[in-house]
Structure formats: structure tokens, C-alpha cells
Amino acid sequence: MPTDSPSSPLPAPGRRAVLGAAAAASALATLPGTASAAPAVPARREQPVRKRPRALPGGGDLGPNVLVFDPSTPNIQGRLDEIFRRQESAQFGTGRYQLLFKPGTYHGLNAQIGFYTSISGLGLSPDDTTINGDITVDAGWFDGNATQNFWRSAENLAVVPVNGTNRWAVSQAAPFRRMHIRGNLNLAPTGYGWSSGGYIADSRIDGQVQPYSQQQWYTRDSAIGGWLNGVWNMVFSGVEGAPAQGFPNPPYTTLATTPVSREKPFLYLSGSEYRVFLPGKRTDARGVTWGNGTPRGTSLPLSRFYVARPGVTAATLNQALAQGLHLLLTPGIYHLDQPVRVERAGTVVLGLGYATLIPDNGVTALKTADVDGIRLAGFLVDAGPVNSATLLEIGPRGASRDHYADPTTVQDVFIRIGGAGPGKATTSMVVNSRHTIVDHTWVWRADHGDGVGWETNRADYGVVVNGHDVLATGLFVEHFNKYDVQWFGERGRTVFFQNEKAYDAPNQAAIQNGSVKGYAAYRVGDAVTSHEGWGLGSYCYYNVDPTIVQHHGFAAPNRPGVRFHDLLVVSLGGNGQYERVINDTGSPTSGTSTVPSTVVSYP
């Protein structure tokens, strides 16, 4: 049984203020010539011998922080409890864990999931791995407030809850994918304290989903037995059993299908062999991808992956990629002194247990080429203390190739600036490749933790989209010094957007955008002729200077091809106000009542 190592001591987490809520080789010296009656022959220059690096092996052990269980493993509950004790309040700690359950049936377990912990089944279907028990996220560590329950995940398991209801009280960066809950799913903490949004995909909940205090939530390509309530912004696309469209009252945005989707790659067992399944692309998707035989897609043996361990260099990762290997990043922290370069079509970079990339000396953590079918999934990029111009680049500047048939997907890739320590980046994520699908990301300039301050963890821009035909499903971007999202590509689409403007702006002048009060949370470029968004929300909580006024949450050219559905802005407790929702349209927020101002359709 692999062993795990303890996390380092942690700083006390700050309170997230939400209401109602990432060689030169020298030549040998020339030999001297000798005197001779014959014409002089130039001395021969010896060239250094360049040895090719030894080929890196594929496959191998998954490392000490991947714990693999089967139904006969002794004391599973004890191991789960041990990991949870380390990770329950380790919000900015260094521990990273992946819990893997082989196919079979498990009894009497309560897997409590803390920070940087992922729990997954190893079957081709969630129903191959059944837990008679619970997979629990609660907020006892934070006095019943779930607004900081970030960076954890559950995937590819069937759960039969002990009391009929499983509790998953999370906020951002906590995906719930490919799950089968044979009962109800409660998304709120014990006591119904604050909670701030999350994400479900490719899952079946036989009973009722119960959001209670959740401010916003996005559910994609799933099947549910019912949905209890909504607070501000509940968005559904391709969900069987979803509530009917009702925004703003009730606050439901419901699309019958998801325009394009391709589920996240996942590790599974075929006999005794580890493989990575690559789900196929779907258009106008609805419902789960599993349950009727083998899911549609392809798979790769683990021998085709370089199984990376923390401590390997960026040069080694790039050598593996150049050899034609894919990357499996095992749990831990990876310091990079140069970008990881993903240049081969169809390359998979899959992280386990919130593997974390930290770019040193101002480099970009990862860059992709303008090629088909790259899949990036399941890792965290944490900005370093030296400013990076960008942290993640999808395609080079000017990328223009058509990738409709086989797009790049970016799934559960999260970016953080500050919080675990000082970090800076001018722009966090840049998307240049056409047809890219960004499926669930949280791009976060930290508002609490270490290394936090208006200039200390400065990050002007969150996500910039230059490529055409890009689709975002589940876009969470928060607290940037200027624009959180800027979209310059044509025919872009966003299904669900959640945003908070930076809390810590010192005064009105600090956010002044020329003659405009504040930078919009989501801006569509002036030259764009076609764009569409559904279920987008922006909140302000200017707690340093509550008198700050933000003109609007959304800015876009006013033309027929640029369309928005179900927009809202909220002032949290009256700490700052919005004058309008989008451009000059929509009612202002006012007072301290934390009531959204909404626009159902624009223009």
C-alpha cells in the first residue's frame, strides 16, 4: 500500500468576505600546427560530442500520494480519516492527494474530502464502483461557512447515501463529475451556512438536488430527479429533469442541450492495466455519456504517459512530450523554470490530486501549439512571485487553424494568483486557438491568505480570448485589478459565468477606466460582431472603500449579433454599487439588501 506524507504547517486561512454568501557547450581549443616545408594544414577543430538524453520511460508507479483501494483493503476508513485530518483546513498547504477505488462494492464508508483531495473510481462506468456510504464535504472547519471549500473533486463513483442524502457543500474549483448518487444531493453545509457556487457534469442524481444557500451553480449534461430551489443564478445545459426556464424569478437559466462538449479524460483499470479514457466529442449534448454499455471514445495505456513526480524539471517534462509521451502529473508541486510546451496533436496532460504548477522567474507555466485535440485537465497553476506576462496560453498569438472536428479542451484547470504566497501575472489565461472548449475553470486573484494586496498580488486580466469559435461552459473568474474577462474572438459563447470584482480596490481612482467607473467583469471587444452568453453574474464587495461605484458588470458592442440572456449584478451588503447591468442598460443596485439587478435579454 503506498504511503502518504504529511503536509507542511499551514498559515491560518483568512476569511473570505462573501455575504449571503498558477546551455551552451564550450568547444575544445584548436590544436597547434607544426612547422613544415609543406603548406600548412589547418588544425582540425574537435567538436564536442552531444549525447542524446536517455529516453524516458512511460508508465510506472503512481507515487506515494496516490492511494489505491479495493474492497479487501483493511482499514479504508482509517486511511480516509487520516488524509482528511491533514487536509480539512489546509487551504494553502502543500499536501496533495488522489484517492482511487478499484471496481467493486464498498460498505460503511464516509469519505470526507478536504483541500487538494480528489476521490475517483477506476471503472469505465460510475456504477462499476459503488460506495454504500457517503462522500462528504461540510464546513465545520470554518464555522459552518462553505464559501472557502475550494480545490477538491469527486469523479466516476456511485454512492448510496446512508441516510438517503449525500452532502457536497463546496464553492469554486470543486467539480463533481461522472457521479451517480442513488438518493438526494445536498449542496449546503450543516446549518445551511453560506456557500458560493459549483459545478456538476455528466452525473446522475436519482433524487433531488438541494442547493439551499448556494448563490449560483452550473449543471451540464446530466440527469436529475428534481431541483429544490435557487438563490441568484442557477444554470443548466443538457440536463434531463432540469427546472424550466424562469430567470429572474425563479432564477433558472435552462438550455435544452449543450452546444459542444467532450468529457474530461479519466484514469481507469482494464483488468490489472491502468489506462486513460478519452471521451468523444458531442454536439447538442444532453444527459450522461455512460450507462448504456461502453462509453464513446478511445483509450490510452499508461505506458504512453510519462508519470511525473514532484521535483522533475520542466526540461524533463518537455523531453517526455518531445518523445511522444503524454503527461500524467501525480499529486504534488512542480516548479518550472521554462514553459511546458505541448506541441503534438492529441496530447493529454492530466493531473491527479490537484497537481500544482508554479512558474519561476516570470515564465509562462504551459503553452500549447495550434494543433488538434489537446486535452488539458485536472491541475492548478499557481503564480510565482516574479510577474509572469501570462500563466497559461492555449495556442500561439495569431493561431487560426480550424479545430472544429477535434478541439482543444481545458477542463478543471484552475489558476491562482496569491493566497499561498505572493504571486503576480499580467494576464492569467490566454486562449488563441479556434474552437477551444474551456469546461470549468476558476481563475482567481486571491482575496485572502498570504501575499494578498492591491499591488502585492497584482493581476490585471483574468481570461483573454482571442481565438474564434471558443466555448466556455462554467467560467468562474474573480477579483482582477482590471478586466476579469476580455473576449476579442468572433462567435464566442459562454454558458454560465460567475464573478466578483476585486474586494481590495483602495479607492475610486484605483479602478477608474478612463471616463468609465470601473472595469467590466466581462467585456466583449468593440470589433466583435457575433457573441452569445447565458446566465452571467457579477458581484461587488468593495470592503476597503464601500463608496466605490462600478458603472456596469458587462460591456459589449451594441449590435444584433452580440446577445446576452439572463444577466445579473449584485452589491454584497451595499459595499460598492453598480449603476447598470450591461452597458447603460439595467437598474442600479442600491442599499444593503443584496438584491440582484437583472437583465433578461440584451440587446
Side-chain angles (χ1 to χ4, degrees), residues 129-379:
T129 311
T130 299
I131 293 178
N132 288 291
D134 295 277
I135 296 176
T136 301
V137 177
D138 208 340
W141 74 278
F142 202 43
D143 298 325
N145 177 349
T147 61
Q148 291 184 25
N149 279 353
F150 313 139
W151 304 306
R152 63 199 76 198
S153 67
E155 299 185 46
N156 203 30
L157 290 160
V159 180
V160 184
V162 171
N163 295 315
T165 299
N166 191 83
R167 186 183 302 278
W168 185 256
V170 299
S171 288
Q172 291 80 2
F176 199 79
R177 289 184 181 267
R178 203 177 172 79
M179 296 290 289
H180 186 185
I181 302 300
R182 298 177 188 166
N184 301 319
L185 183 63
N186 183 344
L187 303 178
T190 300
Y192 307 101
W194 301 338
S195 44
S196 184
Y199 173 93
I200 293 171
D202 200 22
S203 293
R204 182 179 297 278
I205 291 86
D206 292 345
Q208 185 183 60
V209 181
Q210 302 163 343
Y212 295 113
S213 59
Q214 284 288 352
Q215 297 164 347
Q216 67 277 315
W217 198 277
Y218 176 48
T219 307
R220 179 182 63 72
D221 299 352
S222 294
I224 62 177
W227 191 272
L228 178 64
N229 72 295
V231 177
W232 293 336
N233 191 32
M234 304 288 162
V235 180
F236 309 83
S237 67
V239 178
E240 298 170 354
Q245 170 73 30
F247 188 90
N249 186 24
Y252 300 144
T253 299
T254 302
L255 286 70
T257 61
T258 302
V260 186
S261 63
R262 188 173 68 189
E263 298 304 329
K264 180 183 172 185
F266 62 91
L267 193 66
Y268 75 103
L269 277 174
S270 177
S272 61
E273 177 193 30
Y274 283 109
R275 298 183 69 90
V276 173
F277 193 82
L278 308 178
K281 172 189 162 186
R282 298 198 293 170
T283 56
D284 296 323
R286 182 173 174 85
V288 301
T289 63
W290 49 271
N292 295 308
T294 303
R296 187 165 60 90
T298 58
S299 71
L300 295 167
L302 194 63
S303 59
R304 296 279 303 278
F305 285 77
Y306 177 67
V307 179
R309 300 281 194 91
V312 303
T313 64
T316 300
L317 297 175
N318 284 327
Q319 180 190 342
L321 291 167
Q323 281 180 211
L325 294 171
H326 307 272
L327 295 182
L328 186 72
L329 304 174
T330 64
I333 295 173
Y334 298 75
H335 281 270
L336 307 174
D337 61 358
Q338 60 180 279
V340 176
R341 298 185 180 275
V342 183
E343 299 181 339
R344 190 181 72 258
T347 300
V348 179
V349 180
L350 176 61
L352 301 179
Y354 285 81
T356 301
L357 307 180
I358 301 180
D360 295 328
N361 303 317
V363 303
T364 298
L366 188 148
K367 298 183 177 186
T368 74
D370 191 19
V371 296
D372 279 352
I374 290 171
R375 303 181 195 228
L376 308 178
F379 57 89

Side-chain angles (χ1 to χ4, degrees), residues 177 198-201 217-221 235-238 255 257-263 282 285 409-414 436-442 470-476 487 492-498 522 532 534-535:
R177 289 184 181 267
Y199 173 93
I200 293 171
W217 198 277
Y218 176 48
T219 307
R220 179 182 63 72
D221 299 352
V235 180
F236 309 83
S237 67
L255 286 70
T257 61
T258 302
V260 186
S261 63
R262 188 173 68 189
E263 298 304 329
R282 298 198 293 170
T409 46
V410 183
Q411 299 177 285
D412 301 347
V413 174
F414 307 117
T436 298
I437 300 171
V438 180
D439 176 43
H440 190 225
T441 188
W442 185 37
V470 171
L471 171 66
T473 51
L475 185 60
F476 298 72
W487 206 298
R493 292 174 291 183
T494 295
V495 183
F496 182 89
F497 172 68
Q498 186 265 327
Y522 188 110
E532 195 159 12
W534 297 262

